[in-house]
Amino acid sequence: MNQTTARENKPAHIFELYQTMCLIRAFEEKAEIAFDDGFINGSIHQYIGQEAVGTGVCQNLRASDYILSNHRGHGHSIAKGANPEAMMKELMGRVGGTSGAKGGSMHIADFSVGMLGANGVLADGLTMGVGAAQAITLKGEDNIVAVFVGDGTTNRGPFYEALNWAMVYELPILFVCENNTYASSTLTRSVTAGEGPVARAKAFGMPASDVDGNDIVAVDELAADLIARVRSGGGPHFLHARTYRVKGHISRDKLLYRRDGETSENWENEPLGRCAGWLAENGFDESELRTAHSAAYARIDAAVESAKAAPFPDAALAYVDVQDFGPPEPWTKEGGAS
Amino acid sequence: MTEMTFADAVREGLAEEMRRDPLVWALGEDLSTAHGGTSANQYLGLIDEFGPKRIVNTPISENTIMGAAVGAAVAGTRPVADLRMADFGMCAVDELVNQAAKIRYMFGGQARVPLVVRQAIGMRKGGAAQHSQSTEAWYVHTPGLVVVAPGTPADGRGLLKSAIRADDPVVYMEHKDLWVSKGDVPDDEGLVPIGVAKTLRQGTDLTIVSWSKMAQLSNDAAEALAKDGASVEVIDLRTLWPWDKAAVYASIKKTGRLLVAQEAVQVGGFAAEIMADVTENCAGDLKTHARRIGAPRMPVPYAEPMENEYRVTTERVIAKARETLDA
C-alpha cells in the first residue's frame, strides 16, 4: 500500500512504517497495563521487539491479500490494517470487538482487511494459508498469502507438509518465519537439530531469504521484492527474519529462564529506536518523530478509554454463530442444554 | 430411478455439484490416479472433466488436506476434502476440531467454513484395528460440526449435495462396505435434507434406530422378526447431528419400545446419547427401558473367527430386539 511513496520518497515511506510500528508498540504496552488492571480476561502475547517484521511485510501487501497469524497476532493485525479501537474492545471482551468479543486476544481477526485470524494452535496457520492460496488459484485472482510463524513452529509436522505442498502446487505464499529466539520459555536452538529454518525451507527447493528483522528498512525492501515475485507467479518464498521477543511468552511471564542482562542487551537493538535513528539521518527532526510517537500513544489511550466505556455483550449472544444446523439450545430453568 | 452403486451415486452427486458451482472442488490422496479414489473409484474420471485445479491429487499430508480445506473455505470456495478412512481422519482432528468447527464462532461470525470432509467408517473383511473404526460419536460431540452417515446410494448422493451446499463444516461418513452396494437413485436433483431421518419400515411393537450400514442390518432383523409376528419400525437417522428427534419421539409414542443399533464401540457411542435423550423426553411413552447394541470396547481383531466374534451382526440385533420386545 506504500509502494508508490517508497519509490518516490523513501524517507517519507519509512516514516509511515514508523508510525505503524509506534501504533503496535503503544497497543502492546497499553494492553499490558489494562491486563494488569484487570480489564483483560485470560492472557496476552505481546509483539514488542518484533514490530518491524509484521509492519515491513504487511504494509507491502494489498488489502485483498490474506495473512494468517499465530498466537502473537496483535502486531500483524494492526500492520494489515485492522482497527486498533475494535481490537482493544475485543481484548477487553466488549461490544464492538473485532470478533464480537467471542475470541479475545489470541483469536484476533479482521476478515475485512484480509487478516484471517490469529491462532491458538501453532502451525495451523500454515496449512490454512495453503488452502487460502489454493482458493486464490482456483478463482484466478492475483492476490497472495503471507503466513507468519515463529521459530518454535518449525518443529511441528504441518510446517513440512505445508512447505512441500506449496512448492508442489507453486502457490502464491510468502512464509515469514519470525525467529524471536524462544519457543514459549525454551530456547529454540536447544531443541532444534540442523542449521535452522532457512536450511529447512531450502530442503524443499524453496527459495529462502534471511533478514535482520529489527531493521525496518531492510525488511521493507526485501518484503517488497519477495511479494512482487510471489505475486507474479514465482511460487512460494521463505523469509527468515531474525528478531528478539523482548517480553515474555505472555505478559505475566517473569522471564526466569533468561540470563541477567539478556533482555536489556537486546533492547538496545529494538526496531523502533533503530528506525528513529535512520529517520533522523534521513532528514526528520526529533520533534517530528516525537510527535508521531505521541500521536500513536494518544490514539491507543483513547482506544483503551473507549473500550472501558463500552458495554459487555449480552450473555445470550454466546449462543450465536455456532452453526446453522443443530445450533445449541440455551439452558432452561430445569437445567440441561443440548 | 436408475440403479447404481453407492460409490457411483456419490461420485455423480459430486460431479453435479461441481458443474453447478465452479467454487466446489475436491482434494485428497489418489483422487486423479488411474483408479480415481481410494479403493472404490469414488473420483474416477472427474479429473478429465474438471482438471487438476478442481480435482487436487494431494500428498499423504492429512494435516494439510484438512487445513487447506479450512483455509480455502474461509477464502470463499467450497472444498470437499477426502481423508480416505476415519482412522486417518484422526491425523487431522486438530484442523477439523480446533479450526473448522470453531472459526465461525471464535471470530464472531466474520467467516463461514463451508466444507465437507469425507471419512470412510466401518469394518470390511480383514481391515483389523486401524482400517475399521467408526468414529462418528467423536464429531457429534464437537460443537460446530454437522455429521451425516448415509446408508443408501440415493442418500449418499443426496446428502453429499446438501452437505456441499451447507455453510457449516460437514463430516460425511460413508461405510466402506456400502461403496459396492446397489440401490435406486432418483433421476432428478435428489437432494436429501440434513437432519431428516427416513423410516425404512413401519411397525407398531418396537422402534429400531440406526444409521449407515447398520440401518440395513436393522431392517434385515425387522424382516426376520416379522416372520415371528413382531411389527418392528426401523428408522435410518441419516444425519447424526442434528439428529431427527421428532421422528424418533413419534415412533416411540407409537411402539413404546426402543433399540438403538450401532456398529461403533458401544461405550460412549452415539446410541448412548439417543438413549439418554429419550430417557429425559419420552419416559412416559416407554413400556420398557430403552436398549442399545454396539461393539465391545476393544480394537477390531484380524483373524476371521475373532473378527466375527467382534461384529454387531443381524443375529445379534435380532436377539436384542427380542429381549426388548419381551420385556
Side-chain angles (χ1 to χ4, degrees):
Chain A
M1 48 191 82
N2 292 298
Q3 283 153 351
T4 313
T5 38
R7 284 186 204 99
E8 287 167 2
N9 184 343
K10 185 163 179 109
H13 171 63
I14 298 298
F15 182 69
E16 284 177 9
L17 301 185
Y18 179 70
Q19 289 173 305
T20 300
M21 293 201 293
C22 287
L23 206 55
I24 296 170
R25 177 71 56 86
F27 187 91
E28 298 293 42
E29 289 184 359
K30 298 297 180 179
E32 182 172 349
I33 292 167
F35 179 86
D36 291 343
D37 290 345
F39 285 98
I40 294 176
N41 216 359
S43 58
I44 53 169
H45 302 81
Q46 294 156 288
Y47 198 57
I48 293 174
Q50 303 178 216
E51 294 92 341
V53 185
T55 302
V57 171
C58 293
Q59 296 271 303
N60 279 292
L61 295 171
R62 300 173 181 166
S64 55
D65 291 328
Y66 297 126
I67 66 166
L68 288 109
S69 175
N70 47 47
H71 55 299
R72 204 172 300 287
H74 304 161
H76 304 141
S77 303
I78 291 173
K80 190 67 171 62
N83 178 302
E85 288 76 16
M87 286 173 59
M88 193 60 82
K89 289 192 175 91
E90 184 67 25
L91 265 60
M92 292 196 196
R94 307 300 174 109
V95 168
T98 40
S99 295
K102 288 265 179 58
S105 161
M106 202 167 59
H107 305 306
I108 204 86
D110 188 345
F111 282 62
S112 69
V113 295
M115 197 306 191
L116 303 188
N119 213 307
V121 183
L122 295 183
D124 283 6
L126 287 155
T127 61
M128 291 193 289
V130 158
Q134 292 268 180
I136 286 169
T137 306
L138 184 64
K139 291 194 269 187
E141 298 167 343
D142 70 343
N143 296 323
I144 78 156
V145 179
V147 179
F148 290 93
V149 297
D151 40 303
T153 297
T154 65
N155 284 327
R156 275 217 68 209
F159 177 80
Y160 301 96
E161 286 192 6
L163 263 61
N164 176 65
W165 187 303
M167 281 302 288
V168 167
Y169 302 106
E170 299 175 332
L171 296 175
I173 307 182
L174 178 65
F175 294 103
V176 183
C177 178
E178 298 182 79
N179 189 337
N180 70 9
T181 313
Y182 285 97
S184 192
S185 63
T186 296
L187 265 177
T188 305
R189 67 168 182 269
S190 72
V191 292
T192 307
E195 291 168 25
V198 168
R200 291 182 176 197
K202 283 183 173 169
F204 291 96
M206 187 178 292
S209 308
D210 179 85
V211 70
D212 175 352
N214 285 13
D215 179 351
I216 185 64
V217 179
V219 174
D220 172 59
E221 278 176 10
L222 186 54
D225 176 43
L226 300 182
I227 286 166
R229 272 202 251 176
V230 171
R231 196 184 303 286
S232 62
H237 201 103
F238 190 86
L239 173 59
H240 178 245
R242 284 169 282 113
T243 181
Y244 185 81
R245 192 188 72 204
V246 172
K247 305 294 286 190
H249 175 62
I250 54 174
S251 66
R252 286 188 307 260
D253 186 339
K254 300 273 190 281
L255 301 175
L256 301 174
Y257 45 87
R258 285 187 184 167
R259 64 176 165 76
D260 285 345
E262 181 185 321
T263 309
S264 54
E265 284 163 27
N266 279 282
W267 182 247
E268 297 298 312
N269 191 37
E270 63 84 21
L272 268 69
R274 285 178 64 180
C275 183
W278 188 93
L279 287 167
E281 286 168 15
N282 285 274
F284 281 82
D285 63 45
E286 218 169 284
S287 72
E288 284 175 287
L289 299 178
R290 255 205 317 273
T291 303
H293 193 263
S294 307
Y297 279 74
R299 180 172 174 190
I300 299 301
D301 277 334
V304 168
E305 290 316 309
S306 160
K308 285 179 181 172
F312 286 105
D314 185 335
L317 289 171
Y319 297 103
V320 175
D321 273 325
V322 178
Q323 57 193 118
D324 293 340
F325 293 97
E329 286 171 19
W331 290 92
T332 60
K333 273 182 199 158
E334 298 77 35
S338 64
Chain B
M1 289 286 182
T2 308
E3 189 184 59
M4 56 175 90
T5 65
F6 189 99
D8 289 345
V10 175
R11 185 179 59 245
E12 280 307 303
L14 176 58
E16 287 159 19
E17 290 306 295
M18 290 180 72
R19 283 175 208 130
R20 185 186 58 79
D21 182 350
L23 295 175
V24 177
W25 61 292
L27 68 165
E29 299 154 15
D30 291 344
L31 298 201
S32 65
T33 57
H35 50 84
T38 319
S39 30
N41 310 137
Q42 307 100 302
Y43 297 87
L44 191 67
L46 296 186
I47 183 70
D48 301 324
E49 182 175 354
F50 300 106
K53 275 191 180 166
R54 296 181 68 198
I55 297 292
V56 177
N57 199 59
T58 72
I60 301 173
S61 298
E62 283 86 358
N63 293 118
T64 307
I65 294 169
M66 194 66 242
V70 177
V74 300
T77 68
R78 292 183 176 272
V80 177
D82 195 312
L83 291 174
R84 299 176 81 120
M85 295 187 192
D87 315 72
F88 313 145
M90 292 170 196
C91 301
V93 165
D94 166 51
E95 289 78 8
L96 178 55
V97 172
N98 277 325
Q99 307 298 344
K102 294 177 176 60
I103 278 179
R104 174 177 173 184
Y105 190 79
M106 69 184 177
F107 297 149
Q110 293 185 67
R112 297 287 189 276
V113 191
L115 65 83
V116 180
V117 52
R118 294 177 72 170
Q119 300 196 24
I121 53 172
M123 293 173 70
R124 304 175 94 172
K125 266 175 65 66
Q130 295 174 337
H131 279 38
S132 303
Q133 297 170 87
S134 294
T135 51
E136 62 270 23
W138 296 28
Y139 304 110
V140 174
H141 189 69
T142 302
L145 299 180
V146 169
V147 183
V148 301
T152 66
D155 288 345
R157 168 176 172 256
L159 269 174
L160 183 76
K161 295 175 74 156
S162 294
I164 288 170
R165 296 182 193 193
D167 286 339
D168 289 337
V170 179
V171 187
Y172 181 96
M173 308 195 100
E174 51 202 302
H175 197 293
K176 296 185 279 293
D177 258 357
L178 290 178
W179 280 331
V180 294
S181 71
K182 289 184 175 173
D184 283 337
V185 175
D187 296 321
D188 64 6
E189 184 120 277
L191 287 173
V192 173
I194 289 169
V196 179
K198 183 169 67 180
T199 302
L200 300 184
R201 186 189 179 87
Q202 302 276 348
T204 53
D205 302 335
L206 166 68
T207 301
I208 303 183
V209 170
S210 192
W211 55 92
S212 191
K213 184 189 166 192
M214 192 52 61
Q216 196 51 56
L217 268 62
S218 300
N219 206 43
D220 295 346
E223 244 168 60
L225 289 159
K227 290 174 188 145
D228 299 345
S231 171
V232 178
E233 183 146 306
V234 179
I235 294 178
D236 178 356
L237 282 181
R238 306 194 289 189
T239 300
L240 303 189
W241 191 267
W243 61 285
D244 192 344
K245 294 182 185 182
V248 174
Y249 294 177
S251 181
I252 290 171
K253 206 169 187 61
K254 185 165 64 166
T255 64
R257 290 183 162 82
L258 174 69
L259 170 62
V260 188
Q262 67 178 34
E263 178 176 325
V265 167
Q266 177 165 298
V267 176
F270 187 57
E273 169 62 25
I274 296 172
M275 288 175 64
D277 185 283
V278 162
T279 303
E280 288 170 333
N281 294 299
C282 305
D285 295 325
L286 285 168
K287 295 171 189 156
T288 178
H289 65 82
R291 286 166 175 77
R292 62 179 159 161
I293 184 165
R297 191 176 180 279
M298 63 191 209
V300 176
Y302 170 68
E304 234 175 321
M306 290 192 287
E307 189 182 46
N308 289 335
E309 175 62 23
Y310 176 93
R311 280 182 196 278
V312 179
T313 58
T314 307
E315 292 68 35
R316 287 187 163 128
V317 175
I318 291 170
K320 201 74 187 175
R322 284 216 173 94
E323 178 193 316
T324 316
L325 283 159
D326 294 344

Coordinates of all heavy atoms in Angstrom, one line a residue, chain A residues 154-218:
Chain A
T154 N 8.7 -24.3 13.6 CA 9.5 -25.1 12.6 C 9.7 -26.6 13.1 O 10.2 -27.4 12.4 CB 10.8 -24.5 12.2 OG1 11.7 -24.5 13.3 CG2 10.6 -23.1 11.7
N155 N 9.4 -26.8 14.3 CA 9.5 -28.2 14.8 C 8.2 -29.0 14.8 O 8.1 -30.1 15.4 CB 10.1 -28.2 16.3 CG 11.6 -28.0 16.2 OD1 12.3 -28.4 15.3 ND2 12.1 -27.3 17.2
R156 N 7.1 -28.4 14.2 CA 5.9 -29.1 14.1 C 5.7 -29.7 12.7 O 6.1 -29.1 11.7 CB 4.7 -28.2 14.3 CG 4.3 -28.0 15.8 CD 2.8 -28.0 16.0 NE 2.2 -29.2 15.7 CZ 0.9 -29.3 15.2 NH1 0.2 -28.3 15.1 NH2 0.4 -30.5 15.0
G157 N 5.1 -30.9 12.6 CA 5.0 -31.6 11.4 C 4.3 -30.9 10.2 O 4.8 -30.9 9.1
P158 N 3.2 -30.2 10.5 CA 2.5 -29.5 9.5 C 3.3 -28.4 8.8 O 3.0 -28.1 7.6 CB 1.3 -28.8 10.2 CG 1.0 -29.7 11.4 CD 2.4 -30.2 11.8
F159 N 4.4 -27.9 9.4 CA 5.3 -27.0 8.8 C 5.9 -27.6 7.5 O 5.9 -27.0 6.5 CB 6.4 -26.6 9.8 CG 7.5 -25.7 9.2 CD1 7.3 -24.4 9.1 CD2 8.7 -26.3 8.8 CE1 8.3 -23.6 8.6 CE2 9.7 -25.5 8.4 CZ 9.5 -24.1 8.3
Y160 N 6.2 -28.9 7.6 CA 6.9 -29.6 6.5 C 5.8 -29.9 5.4 O 6.1 -29.8 4.2 CB 7.6 -30.8 7.0 CG 8.7 -30.3 7.9 CD1 8.5 -30.3 9.3 CD2 9.8 -29.7 7.5 CE1 9.4 -29.8 10.2 CE2 10.8 -29.2 8.3 CZ 10.5 -29.2 9.7 OH 11.4 -28.6 10.5
E161 N 4.7 -30.4 5.9 CA 3.6 -30.7 4.9 C 3.3 -29.4 4.1 O 3.1 -29.5 2.9 CB 2.3 -31.1 5.7 CG 2.4 -32.5 6.2 CD 1.0 -33.0 6.7 OE1 0.0 -32.3 6.4 OE2 0.9 -34.0 7.3
A162 N 3.1 -28.3 4.8 CA 2.7 -27.1 4.1 C 3.8 -26.6 3.1 O 3.4 -26.1 2.0 CB 2.3 -26.0 5.1
L163 N 5.0 -26.6 3.5 CA 6.1 -26.1 2.6 C 6.2 -27.0 1.4 O 6.3 -26.5 0.3 CB 7.4 -26.1 3.3 CG 7.8 -24.7 3.9 CD1 6.8 -24.2 4.9 CD2 9.2 -24.7 4.5
N164 N 6.1 -28.3 1.6 CA 6.1 -29.3 0.5 C 4.9 -29.0 -0.5 O 5.1 -28.9 -1.7 CB 6.0 -30.7 1.0 CG 5.9 -31.7 -0.1 OD1 6.9 -31.9 -0.9 ND2 4.8 -32.4 -0.2
W165 N 3.8 -28.9 0.1 CA 2.5 -28.7 -0.7 C 2.6 -27.4 -1.5 O 2.3 -27.3 -2.7 CB 1.4 -28.6 0.3 CG 0.0 -28.6 -0.2 CD1 -0.5 -27.7 -1.1 CD2 -1.1 -29.5 0.1 NE1 -1.9 -28.0 -1.3 CE2 -2.2 -29.1 -0.7 CE3 -1.2 -30.7 0.8 CZ2 -3.4 -29.8 -0.6 CZ3 -2.4 -31.3 0.9 CH2 -3.5 -30.9 0.2
A166 N 3.1 -26.3 -0.8 CA 3.2 -25.0 -1.5 C 4.1 -25.1 -2.7 O 3.8 -24.5 -3.8 CB 3.6 -23.9 -0.5
M167 N 5.2 -25.8 -2.6 CA 6.1 -26.0 -3.7 C 5.5 -26.8 -4.8 O 5.6 -26.5 -6.0 CB 7.4 -26.7 -3.2 CG 8.4 -25.7 -2.5 SD 8.9 -24.3 -3.5 CE 10.0 -25.1 -4.7
V168 N 4.9 -27.9 -4.4 CA 4.3 -28.9 -5.4 C 3.3 -28.1 -6.3 O 3.3 -28.3 -7.5 CB 3.6 -30.1 -4.7 CG1 2.8 -30.9 -5.7 CG2 4.7 -31.0 -4.1
Y169 N 2.4 -27.3 -5.7 CA 1.4 -26.6 -6.4 C 1.7 -25.2 -6.8 O 0.9 -24.4 -7.3 CB 0.0 -26.7 -5.7 CG -0.4 -28.1 -5.4 CD1 -0.3 -28.6 -4.1 CD2 -0.8 -28.9 -6.4 CE1 -0.6 -29.9 -3.8 CE2 -1.2 -30.2 -6.1 CZ -1.1 -30.7 -4.8 OH -1.4 -32.0 -4.6
E170 N 3.0 -24.8 -6.5 CA 3.5 -23.5 -6.9 C 2.6 -22.4 -6.4 O 2.2 -21.5 -7.2 CB 3.7 -23.4 -8.4 CG 4.8 -24.4 -8.9 CD 4.9 -24.4 -10.4 OE1 3.9 -24.1 -11.1 OE2 6.0 -24.8 -10.9
L171 N 2.2 -22.4 -5.2 CA 1.2 -21.5 -4.6 C 1.8 -20.1 -4.3 O 3.0 -20.0 -3.9 CB 0.5 -22.1 -3.4 CG -0.2 -23.4 -3.6 CD1 -0.7 -24.0 -2.3 CD2 -1.4 -23.2 -4.6
P172 N 0.9 -19.1 -4.4 CA 1.4 -17.7 -4.1 C 1.4 -17.4 -2.6 O 0.5 -16.8 -2.1 CB 0.4 -16.9 -4.8 CG -0.9 -17.7 -4.8 CD -0.5 -19.1 -4.9
I173 N 2.5 -17.9 -1.9 CA 2.6 -17.8 -0.5 C 4.0 -17.2 -0.1 O 5.0 -17.7 -0.6 CB 2.4 -19.1 0.3 CG1 1.1 -19.8 -0.1 CG2 2.4 -18.9 1.8 CD1 0.8 -21.1 0.6
L174 N 4.0 -16.3 0.8 CA 5.2 -15.8 1.4 C 5.2 -16.4 2.9 O 4.3 -16.0 3.7 CB 5.3 -14.3 1.4 CG 6.6 -13.8 2.1 CD1 7.9 -14.2 1.4 CD2 6.5 -12.3 2.3
F175 N 6.0 -17.3 3.2 CA 6.1 -17.8 4.5 C 7.1 -16.9 5.3 O 8.3 -16.7 4.8 CB 6.7 -19.3 4.5 CG 5.8 -20.3 3.9 CD1 6.0 -20.8 2.6 CD2 4.7 -20.8 4.6 CE1 5.2 -21.7 2.0 CE2 3.8 -21.7 4.0 CZ 4.1 -22.2 2.7
V176 N 6.6 -16.4 6.4 CA 7.5 -15.5 7.2 C 7.8 -16.1 8.5 O 6.9 -16.3 9.3 CB 6.8 -14.1 7.4 CG1 7.8 -13.2 8.1 CG2 6.4 -13.5 6.1
C177 N 9.0 -16.5 8.7 CA 9.4 -17.1 10.0 C 10.1 -16.1 10.8 O 11.2 -15.6 10.5 CB 10.4 -18.3 9.7 SG 11.0 -19.0 11.3
E178 N 9.4 -15.6 11.9 CA 9.9 -14.6 12.8 C 10.7 -15.4 13.9 O 10.1 -16.0 14.8 CB 8.8 -13.8 13.4 CG 8.0 -13.1 12.4 CD 6.9 -12.2 13.1 OE1 7.2 -11.2 13.6 OE2 5.7 -12.7 13.1
N179 N 12.0 -15.4 13.7 CA 12.8 -16.1 14.7 C 13.1 -15.2 15.9 O 14.0 -14.3 15.9 CB 14.1 -16.5 14.0 CG 14.9 -17.5 14.9 OD1 14.7 -17.5 16.2 ND2 15.7 -18.3 14.4
N180 N 12.2 -15.3 16.9 CA 12.4 -14.4 18.1 C 13.1 -15.1 19.2 O 13.1 -14.7 20.4 CB 11.0 -13.9 18.6 CG 10.1 -15.0 19.2 OD1 10.6 -16.1 19.4 ND2 8.9 -14.6 19.4
T181 N 13.8 -16.2 18.9 CA 14.7 -16.9 19.8 C 14.1 -17.9 20.7 O 14.7 -18.9 21.1 CB 15.6 -15.9 20.6 OG1 16.1 -14.9 19.7 CG2 16.7 -16.6 21.3
Y182 N 12.8 -17.7 21.1 CA 12.2 -18.5 22.1 C 11.0 -19.3 21.6 O 10.2 -18.7 20.8 CB 11.8 -17.7 23.3 CG 13.0 -17.3 24.2 CD1 13.6 -16.1 24.1 CD2 13.5 -18.2 25.1 CE1 14.7 -15.7 24.8 CE2 14.6 -17.9 25.9 CZ 15.2 -16.6 25.8 OH 16.3 -16.3 26.5
A183 N 10.9 -20.5 22.0 CA 9.6 -21.3 21.8 C 9.0 -21.4 23.2 O 9.4 -22.2 24.1 CB 10.0 -22.7 21.3
S184 N 8.0 -20.5 23.5 CA 7.5 -20.3 24.8 C 8.7 -19.9 25.7 O 9.3 -18.9 25.5 CB 6.8 -21.6 25.3 OG 6.0 -21.3 26.4
S185 N 9.0 -20.7 26.7 CA 10.1 -20.3 27.6 C 11.4 -21.2 27.3 O 12.3 -21.1 28.1 CB 9.7 -20.4 29.1 OG 9.4 -21.8 29.4
T186 N 11.4 -21.9 26.2 CA 12.5 -22.7 25.9 C 13.3 -22.1 24.7 O 12.8 -21.6 23.8 CB 12.0 -24.1 25.4 OG1 11.4 -24.8 26.5 CG2 13.1 -25.0 24.9
L187 N 14.6 -22.0 24.9 CA 15.5 -21.6 23.8 C 15.3 -22.5 22.6 O 15.6 -23.7 22.7 CB 16.9 -21.5 24.2 CG 17.5 -20.3 24.8 CD1 19.0 -20.5 25.2 CD2 17.4 -19.1 23.8
T188 N 14.9 -22.0 21.5 CA 14.5 -22.9 20.4 C 15.8 -23.7 19.9 O 15.7 -24.9 19.6 CB 14.0 -22.0 19.2 OG1 12.9 -21.3 19.7 CG2 13.5 -22.9 18.0
R189 N 16.9 -23.1 19.9 CA 18.1 -23.8 19.4 C 18.5 -25.0 20.3 O 19.1 -25.9 19.9 CB 19.3 -22.9 19.2 CG 19.9 -22.3 20.5 CD 21.2 -21.6 20.3 NE 21.8 -21.1 21.5 CZ 21.6 -19.9 22.0 NH1 20.8 -19.0 21.3 NH2 22.1 -19.5 23.1
S190 N 18.0 -25.0 21.6 CA 18.3 -26.1 22.5 C 17.4 -27.3 22.2 O 17.7 -28.4 22.6 CB 18.1 -25.7 23.9 OG 16.7 -25.5 24.2
V191 N 16.4 -27.2 21.3 CA 15.6 -28.3 21.0 C 15.5 -28.5 19.5 O 14.5 -29.1 19.0 CB 14.1 -28.1 21.6 CG1 14.2 -28.2 23.1 CG2 13.5 -26.8 21.1
T192 N 16.4 -27.9 18.7 CA 16.3 -27.9 17.3 C 17.6 -28.4 16.6 O 18.7 -27.9 16.9 CB 16.0 -26.5 16.8 OG1 14.8 -26.0 17.4 CG2 15.7 -26.5 15.3
A193 N 17.5 -29.5 15.8 CA 18.6 -30.0 15.1 C 18.9 -29.3 13.8 O 18.0 -28.5 13.3 CB 18.4 -31.5 14.8
G194 N 20.0 -29.4 13.3 CA 20.3 -28.9 11.9 C 20.7 -27.4 12.0 O 21.0 -26.8 13.0
E195 N 20.6 -26.8 10.8 CA 21.2 -25.5 10.6 C 20.1 -24.4 10.7 O 20.4 -23.2 10.5 CB 21.9 -25.4 9.3 CG 23.2 -26.2 9.3 CD 23.7 -26.4 7.9 OE1 23.5 -25.5 7.0 OE2 24.4 -27.4 7.6
G196 N 18.9 -24.7 10.9 CA 17.9 -23.7 11.2 C 16.8 -23.6 10.1 O 16.8 -24.4 9.1
P197 N 15.9 -22.6 10.2 CA 14.7 -22.5 9.3 C 15.1 -22.4 7.9 O 14.4 -23.0 7.0 CB 14.0 -21.3 9.9 CG 14.4 -21.2 11.3 CD 15.8 -21.7 11.3
V198 N 16.1 -21.6 7.5 CA 16.4 -21.4 6.1 C 16.8 -22.7 5.4 O 16.4 -23.0 4.4 CB 17.5 -20.3 6.0 CG1 18.0 -20.2 4.5 CG2 16.9 -18.9 6.3
A199 N 17.7 -23.4 6.1 CA 18.1 -24.7 5.6 C 16.9 -25.6 5.4 O 16.9 -26.4 4.4 CB 19.2 -25.3 6.5
R200 N 16.0 -25.6 6.4 CA 14.9 -26.5 6.3 C 14.0 -26.1 5.1 O 13.5 -27.0 4.4 CB 14.1 -26.4 7.6 CG 14.8 -27.0 8.8 CD 14.1 -27.0 10.1 NE 14.8 -27.7 11.1 CZ 14.4 -28.2 12.2 NH1 13.1 -28.0 12.5 NH2 15.1 -28.8 13.1
A201 N 13.8 -24.8 4.8 CA 13.0 -24.4 3.7 C 13.7 -24.8 2.4 O 13.1 -25.3 1.5 CB 12.7 -22.9 3.7
K202 N 15.0 -24.6 2.4 CA 15.8 -24.9 1.1 C 15.7 -26.4 0.8 O 15.9 -26.8 -0.4 CB 17.2 -24.4 1.3 CG 17.3 -22.9 1.1 CD 18.8 -22.4 1.1 CE 18.8 -20.9 0.8 NZ 20.2 -20.4 1.1
A203 N 15.5 -27.2 1.8 CA 15.5 -28.7 1.6 C 14.3 -29.0 0.7 O 14.3 -30.1 0.0 CB 15.3 -29.4 2.9
F204 N 13.3 -28.2 0.6 CA 12.2 -28.4 -0.3 C 12.4 -27.8 -1.7 O 11.5 -27.7 -2.5 CB 10.9 -27.9 0.3 CG 10.4 -28.6 1.6 CD1 10.8 -28.2 2.8 CD2 9.7 -29.8 1.4 CE1 10.4 -28.9 3.9 CE2 9.3 -30.5 2.5 CZ 9.6 -30.1 3.8
G205 N 13.6 -27.2 -1.8 CA 13.8 -26.5 -3.1 C 13.2 -25.1 -3.1 O 13.0 -24.5 -4.1
M206 N 12.7 -24.6 -1.9 CA 12.1 -23.3 -1.8 C 13.1 -22.2 -1.7 O 14.0 -22.3 -0.9 CB 11.1 -23.3 -0.6 CG 10.2 -22.1 -0.6 SD 9.1 -22.1 0.8 CE 8.0 -23.4 0.4
P207 N 13.0 -21.2 -2.5 CA 13.9 -20.1 -2.3 C 13.7 -19.4 -0.9 O 12.5 -19.3 -0.5 CB 13.5 -19.1 -3.4 CG 12.2 -19.5 -3.9 CD 12.0 -20.9 -3.6
A208 N 14.8 -19.1 -0.3 CA 14.7 -18.6 1.1 C 15.6 -17.4 1.3 O 16.7 -17.4 0.8 CB 15.0 -19.7 2.1
S209 N 15.2 -16.4 2.0 CA 16.0 -15.3 2.3 C 16.1 -15.1 3.8 O 15.2 -15.5 4.5 CB 15.3 -14.0 1.7 OG 15.0 -14.2 0.3
D210 N 17.1 -14.3 4.2 CA 17.4 -14.1 5.6 C 17.5 -12.6 5.8 O 18.1 -11.9 4.9 CB 18.7 -14.8 6.0 CG 19.0 -14.6 7.4 OD1 18.5 -15.3 8.3 OD2 19.8 -13.6 7.7
V211 N 16.9 -12.1 6.8 CA 17.0 -10.6 7.0 C 17.1 -10.3 8.5 O 16.6 -11.1 9.4 CB 15.7 -9.9 6.4 CG1 14.5 -10.2 7.2 CG2 16.0 -8.4 6.3
D212 N 17.7 -9.2 8.8 CA 17.7 -8.6 10.2 C 16.3 -8.1 10.4 O 15.9 -7.0 9.9 CB 18.8 -7.5 10.3 CG 18.8 -6.8 11.6 OD1 17.8 -7.1 12.4 OD2 19.7 -6.0 11.9
G213 N 15.5 -8.8 11.2 CA 14.1 -8.5 11.4 C 13.9 -7.3 12.3 O 12.8 -6.9 12.5
N214 N 14.9 -6.7 12.8 CA 14.8 -5.5 13.6 C 15.1 -4.2 12.8 O 15.1 -3.1 13.3 CB 15.7 -5.5 14.9 CG 15.1 -6.4 15.9 OD1 14.2 -7.2 15.6 ND2 15.6 -6.4 17.1
D215 N 15.5 -4.4 11.5 CA 15.8 -3.3 10.6 C 14.7 -3.1 9.6 O 14.6 -3.8 8.6 CB 17.1 -3.7 9.9 CG 17.6 -2.6 8.9 OD1 16.8 -1.7 8.7 OD2 18.7 -2.8 8.4
I216 N 13.8 -2.2 9.9 CA 12.6 -2.0 9.1 C 13.0 -1.6 7.7 O 12.3 -2.0 6.7 CB 11.7 -0.9 9.7 CG1 10.4 -0.8 8.9 CG2 12.4 0.5 9.8 CD1 9.5 -2.0 9.0
V217 N 14.1 -0.9 7.5 CA 14.4 -0.5 6.1 C 14.8 -1.8 5.3 O 14.3 -2.0 4.2 CB 15.6 0.5 6.1 CG1 16.0 0.8 4.7 CG2 15.3 1.7 6.9
A218 N 15.5 -2.7 5.9 CA 15.9 -3.9 5.2 C 14.7 -4.8 5.0 O 14.5 -5.4 3.9 CB 17.0 -4.7 6.1

